[in-house]
Amino acid sequence: MSNQLIERHEARLAALYEVSSQLGKSLDLGEVLNQVMDSIIQLTGAERGFLMLYDSENGDLQTRAARNFDQETIEADATNISRTVIERAINTGEGILSSNAQEDDRFSGRESVIGYQLRSIMCAPLQVRGHTLGAVYVDNRLFSGVFEKDDLGLLVTFANQAAIAIENARLFTQTDQALARRVEELSLFQRIDQQLNRSLELNQVLSLSLNWAIALTNAAGGSIGLFEDIENEDTGMLDGSPIRILRLMVFRGEEEHSESRLVSLDHPIVQKIMADGRSILTNDVSEEESVDGTPASMQLAVPIQQDGIITGLITLETQQNIEINREDIAFVERLSDRAAVAIKNAKLYEAIQDANKAKSEFISLVAHELRVPMTSIKGYTDLMNAGLAGPLSDQQKQFLEVIRRNLTRMTSLISDLSDINHIESGRMKFDLQPFDLREVVADVADSLRERIANRQQTLHIEIEDDLPLIFADSTRMAQVVSNLMSNANKYTQDGGEIVLRAWPNGRYAHVSIQDNGLGISEENQEKLFTQFFRAEDKEVREQAGWGLGLSIVRRMVEAQNGEITFESILGEGSTFTFTIPLANME
Ligand code: ADP
């Protein structure tokens, strides 16, 4: 090799080293492509050049960077000029050099070669791990110089390195974009979930889901239907057994008649979805073919599945060239999964509400049916007790006393159940008025005085002198105080002490009822206030009760804008404290 050649070789290697070391510093695809293009022009001394990459969406080769080609040439001719050259480079996987294109058999027939007086051409494929990304192309017109074999070697070597940098940037961009899309989608679904979870009303859940599906796919309209078994009077079937149909529950579109439309399972699209459980995209659907009766240029039907069973269908229609793409389908499918959960919850809630209503009606009925005979039993017992049916022996009096005690127990159960019923169904009325708590406390203490005396307990009442009027329903307040005091009496040993205190605190009156009785174990404290809960202790079970009092008390206090808390130590005693608004602060 002559010195001159060696020098030239070294200079090229130095240049290659320099441009190569710059590669990979950026992960921005556009920046990398420009850098590659500049380096190629610098290395080969080409007059102009461009770089083409396969488009990931449609698979076509697209010009992604160019030097000294004007946009028009690129758009109109460049791809034509070089298509043969580039295709050959890509197909053979090797670089191409032509130092006299006009006379080269491979290209000379091309109009563009002649038209642009092309003489010297080089092209190298961009390959990574056997996979072709595209190609780079450079050329020189005759007077600008001719490429040599060394130049091609340099171009091919550089193209190999450039391909890696391009692929990295491309992957990074893709991951970056995919990540951004995913984050965006996640935050969107978070919003959707929040909205869906806020509602337990079935129609609202369906409506929300449909709105989101339409908004995010740019659909013109759509519907959500749920499968249901109906009595088939309206369907004209003869055997009377219920049949399954799809009932459109919500609908968006122009034709209002689609609201609550029934779709037979024979409908071809419904049938297909039921058979393979997958979404179906149909083009040019007529009114008959459309699930919700809306003709459309595209219809997407996505099943709603719960635990592997198809329970409904989301359909969306687009008109006039608005496409539904794969991403849209995936989105609606994910939305459908979320809607399925919300629909299930709403249906459960509906069922619970129905059951509650039935329970409430049943209790009202039973309470009424029991009160009537009990009034009569009580009436006759009182008559007999008063001796109006003749004189009574001591034993008869004793038996009548047992009947009377049990009647009282039954009456209290019925009145507790009715109270709960009224509170739960929102039918209990609270007549909130300003009044003096002292009066209520005095009345309750009077009514319990005998029971307290029977157990040799003492009752202290300590109401602070400056306690203002409270704002509550006096009858309900008496019930609350009576319940708590009665518990203190029942669950405190003979000779125990009960203290009622009341004092103002900020905008509230605080009322506490303290006893030094049985107390409540930590385990039982957690269950307190639940209906029918009673401690297992023998002393507790000796006392009459149904385990409903505290739950009624809590609801009543809360309905009168207060709160109830308690403190208790097993074997030492309990203190129940509730708050109630003061009248002047209302
Ligand atoms: P009942 O008194 O009819 O059982 P409650 O709802 O008023 O129903 O009370 C539920 C249970 O809570 C009682 O059975 C008892 O075990 C416990 N309890 C309530 N108040 C007290 C109290 N002051 N001291 C000890 N245990 C209590």
Side-chain angles (χ1 to χ4, degrees):
M1 229 191 272
S2 72
N3 273 351
Q4 210 186 349
L5 267 178
I6 293 175
E7 267 171 31
R8 200 178 136 179
H9 195 64
E10 277 179 353
R12 281 160 179 266
L13 281 181
L16 180 64
Y17 174 76
E18 200 196 312
V19 293
S20 305
S21 61
Q22 292 304 314
L23 278 180
K25 286 198 173 156
S26 167
L27 280 170
D28 179 272
L29 185 58
E31 213 173 286
V32 171
L33 294 176
N34 277 325
Q35 203 178 22
V36 166
M37 218 44 245
D38 286 340
S39 304
I40 285 173
I41 296 286
Q42 187 190 332
L43 282 176
T44 60
E47 195 188 347
R48 49 184 209 168
F50 62 88
L51 182 157
M52 296 187 100
L53 293 181
Y54 282 111
D55 186 77
S56 57
E57 298 252 305
N58 58 19
D60 290 347
L61 271 175
Q62 280 181 355
T63 310
R64 298 295 300 269
R67 291 293 176 271
N68 302 328
F69 267 99
D70 57 67
Q71 196 60 31
E72 237 167 71
T73 319
I74 290 179
E75 276 165 15
D77 293 322
T79 46
N80 292 336
I81 299 169
S82 20
R83 190 151 288 274
T84 334
V85 186
I86 282 180
E87 271 169 13
R88 188 180 287 261
I90 286 177
N91 289 340
T92 58
E94 280 169 16
I96 288 176
L97 170 69
S98 174
S99 48
N100 193 344
Q102 276 183 342
E103 281 161 29
D104 193 321
D105 295 345
R106 296 174 294 184
F107 326 112
S108 55
R110 295 268 148 178
E111 209 178 281
S112 49
V113 175
I114 301 154
Y116 286 89
Q117 299 170 315
L118 298 179
R119 298 308 284 292
S120 199
I121 290 175
M122 277 202 299
C123 179
L126 292 163
Q127 290 172 312
V128 187
R129 291 179 297 272
H131 159 71
T132 308
L133 306 180
V136 287
Y137 170 97
V138 286
D139 62 28
N140 267 344
R141 273 171 286 187
L142 182 63
F143 53 82
S144 306
V146 167
F147 297 127
E148 289 175 15
K149 238 176 131 193
D150 273 0
D151 295 306
L152 183 66
L154 199 63
L155 180 68
V156 169
T157 311
F158 182 71
N160 285 336
Q161 295 176 5
I164 298 172
I166 292 172
E167 180 71 346
N168 283 346
R170 186 135 94 163
L171 286 177
F172 180 78
T173 315
Q174 272 171 7
T175 336
D176 206 34
Q177 281 169 355
L179 195 68
R181 262 207 311 278
R182 191 87 189 105
V183 168
E184 198 182 312
E185 192 179 294
L186 280 177
S187 63
L188 179 68
F189 273 119
Q190 199 181 11
R191 269 176 61 202
I192 296 178
D193 282 345
Q194 271 175 0
Q195 288 189 1
L196 286 179
N197 292 339
R198 224 178 286 147
S199 173
L200 275 172
E201 219 261 298
L202 183 60
N203 262 310
Q204 203 177 346
V205 165
L206 296 173
S207 211
L208 265 172
S209 309
L210 183 58
N211 288 351
W212 278 109
I214 289 177
L216 291 152
T217 52
N218 286 322
S223 64
I224 298 185
L226 298 180
F227 290 104
E228 118 182 15
D229 292 323
I230 54 163
E231 297 302 330
N232 62 15
E233 287 158 13
D234 3 290
T235 60
M237 298 278 285
L238 294 174
D239 64 354
S241 57
I243 60 156
R244 220 171 161 63
I245 47 98
L246 179 74
R247 183 189 293 277
L248 297 193
M249 307 287 290
V250 283
F251 173 80
R252 302 274 182 284
E254 284 179 4
E255 294 173 54
E256 292 299 327
H257 73 257
S258 290
E259 198 82 49
S260 88
R261 167 187 159 109
L262 304 184
V263 184
S264 146
L265 296 203
D266 295 337
H267 186 286
I269 291 193
V270 177
Q271 209 171 31
K272 203 153 170 239
I273 288 214
M274 294 300 274
D276 58 16
R278 279 209 295 269
S279 310
I280 300 178
L281 196 59
T282 327
N283 287 311
D284 299 322
V285 285
S286 66
E287 191 175 330
E288 292 73 44
E289 288 165 325
S290 161
V291 174
D292 54 25
T294 318
S297 49
M298 246 190 186
Q299 176 187 255
L300 172 67
V302 175
I304 301 174
Q305 311 205 33
Q306 271 161 24
D307 310 322
I309 297 167
I310 302 176
T311 56
L313 208 59
I314 302 179
T315 42
L316 297 170
E317 290 97 25
T318 61
Q319 311 291 0
Q320 291 147 16
N321 303 334
I322 293 190
E323 295 266 321
I324 295 182
N325 59 28
R326 253 191 301 163
E327 266 180 40
D328 293 334
I329 300 178
F331 171 81
V332 180
E333 283 172 347
R334 281 198 282 273
L335 179 72
S336 155
D337 289 343
R338 291 170 140 87
V341 177
I343 291 171
K344 188 172 173 185
N345 289 343
K347 280 189 161 174
L348 281 177
Y349 183 69
E350 233 175 36
I352 291 171
Q353 276 190 321
D354 287 349
N356 263 336
K357 202 163 154 247
K359 182 190 85 177
S360 161
E361 281 165 6
F362 174 73
I363 290 177
S364 291
L365 181 84
V366 170
H368 177 74
E369 291 300 318
L370 285 176
R371 268 197 192 113
V372 178
M374 275 168 59
T375 313
S376 133
I377 298 173
K378 186 165 184 298
Y380 285 112
T381 318
D382 287 348
L383 281 178
M384 288 167 80
N385 237 342
L388 294 176
L392 298 177
S393 69
D394 282 352
Q395 196 178 34
Q396 284 169 330
K397 279 190 182 155
Q398 212 183 321
F399 287 176
L400 279 179
E401 176 54 24
V402 175
I403 295 178
R404 202 192 55 77
R405 265 212 313 276
N406 280 297
L407 266 179
T408 314
R409 285 194 62 198
M410 282 179 78
T411 317
S412 86
L413 172 63
I414 291 170
S415 97
D416 279 1
L417 284 177
S418 303
D419 278 352
I420 287 183
N421 217 10
H422 278 98
I423 295 176
E424 281 183 352
S425 60
R427 279 183 292 140
M428 181 171 278
K429 297 280 169 279
F430 289 87
D431 179 19
L432 304 182
Q433 301 281 348
F435 66 89
D436 192 346
L437 182 74
R438 289 173 193 82
E439 288 167 18
V440 165
V441 170
D443 286 349
V444 173
D446 267 352
S447 68
L448 292 175
R449 202 166 301 284
E450 199 185 322
R451 279 170 56 183
I452 292 170
N454 282 345
R455 302 195 65 179
Q456 299 90 46
Q457 293 164 341
T458 47
L459 169 66
H460 299 284
I461 294 175
E462 299 172 6
I463 298 181
E464 284 191 13
D465 290 341
D466 60 350
L467 181 75
L469 300 185
I470 59 168
F471 192 69
D473 179 317
S474 59
T475 314
R476 303 297 176 203
M477 197 36 50
Q479 227 175 319
V480 168
V481 176
S482 166
N483 240 309
L484 294 174
M485 260 215 239
S486 154
N487 277 353
N489 161 252
K490 287 196 290 183
Y491 306 120
T492 300
Q493 299 86 340
D494 291 356
E497 195 173 60
I498 301 168
V499 188
L500 180 144
R501 293 188 181 87
W503 66 98
N505 187 349
R507 304 163 60 164
Y508 291 89
H510 287 233
V511 184
S512 73
I513 288 115
Q514 183 182 12
D515 64 56
N516 59 355
L518 306 178
I520 304 158
S521 72
E522 280 183 25
E523 192 193 339
N524 284 343
Q525 290 186 12
E526 286 173 22
K527 301 176 207 152
L528 222 59
F529 298 107
T530 38
Q531 287 178 13
F532 299 107
F533 166 74
R534 306 198 74 203
E536 295 291 338
D537 315 34
K538 192 168 139 280
E539 294 103 317
V540 169
R541 292 299 164 110
E542 275 168 3
Q543 301 296 324
W546 300 99
L548 290 172
L550 284 181
S551 103
I552 295 175
V553 163
R554 172 146 87 179
R555 284 154 187 257
M556 284 192 175
V557 168
E558 287 172 359
Q560 297 177 87
N561 309 311
E563 271 176 21
I564 180 160
T565 54
F566 68 93
E567 277 170 40
S568 184
I569 298 175
L570 189 64
E572 292 188 15
S574 317
T575 308
F576 286 82
T577 308
F578 67 87
T579 59
I580 209 79
L582 293 172
N584 53 1
M585 300 294 178
E586 75 188 80

